[in-house]
Amino acid sequence: MGVAHDHHPLTITGDRNLDAACATVTGEIARTDSKASLLLAFDGAVLAGLASVADKDLPVFTKAVGALAVLTLAAAAVLLLLVVRPCLTVPGRPAPGTFPQWAHLEENELQEAMDQDHRPARIKALSTLAVRKFRRLALAVDVILAALALLTAAAIGALV
C-alpha cells in the first residue's frame, strides 16, 4: 500500500528535510569510517616503530612503560576496528528501508516495502549507528593520547 503525498508546501519541506537527514547521517558514518581508517594506519605505524626497538637494551622502567603503551595502542586498535566493522542491525534487527532488511524480504514484500516511506526509521537506525561509531572513535582517540603520554614517559626514562 503506497503512501499518499499531497503536495502541500509542508509535505515538500518535510520530504526535503527527510532526504537531507538521510544524506547527513550517511555522510557522518562515512566520516567516522575514514577517520578510524586513518587512525588505524597511525596506530599500526607506531606499533611497527615500537617493534623495531623491542630487542634493544633499554632501562626496565622504559620497557615496562613501553609495554603499557603497546597494550594501550592495541586497545585503541580494537576500538577503531569496531568503528569500521560493518553493523547491519540496530538493535538486533535490520532497520526498515535498508538493504539488510531488503535481503530478508520476498519479492512481493520488497515491492510493498518500496511503496512505503521508511526514511524516519532509516534516519533513526543510521543515527544510532553513527552515534555508536563516534563514541568509539572518540574513546579510541583518548586511548591513543594516553599511549602517546606513556611513550613520552618511556622515552624520558630512556634518557635518564
Side-chain angles (χ1 to χ4, degrees):
M1 196 172 273
V3 174
H5 289 286
D6 61 17
H7 290 290
H8 187 275
L10 290 176
T11 302
I12 293 170
T13 300
D15 279 347
R16 286 185 192 142
N17 289 342
L18 287 169
D19 289 341
C22 282
T24 297
V25 73
T26 302
E28 292 301 324
I29 288 171
R31 283 185 50 221
T32 59
D33 288 348
S34 294
K35 287 179 180 183
S37 296
L38 288 171
L39 288 171
L40 271 168
F42 170 79
D43 201 57
V46 173
L47 285 169
L50 291 173
S52 71
V53 299
D55 62 346
K56 303 290 187 237
D57 187 26
L58 297 169
V60 173
F61 173 82
T62 299
K63 285 185 177 184
V65 175
L68 283 175
V70 167
L71 290 174
T72 305
L73 287 169
V78 169
L79 288 167
L80 293 167
L81 289 169
L82 289 172
V83 170
V84 297
R85 180 177 184 255
C87 181
L88 301 177
T89 59
V90 179
R93 62 183 178 82
T98 61
F99 73 89
Q101 181 209 26
W102 300 333
H104 296 285
L105 299 178
E106 297 298 325
E107 288 182 27
N108 63 325
E109 295 171 318
L110 184 56
Q111 185 60 55
E112 285 179 27
M114 291 296 137
D115 291 339
Q116 298 173 8
D117 188 355
H118 292 287
R119 290 175 297 179
R122 180 183 169 122
I123 292 165
K124 171 70 175 157
L126 293 177
S127 295
T128 300
L129 287 173
V131 167
R132 185 182 309 151
K133 285 175 172 277
F134 266 102
R135 286 185 179 146
R136 288 177 176 160
L137 183 63
L139 182 56
V141 169
D142 293 343
V143 171
I144 289 171
L145 290 172
L148 293 175
L150 287 167
L151 288 174
T152 301
I156 292 169
L159 297 174
V160 179

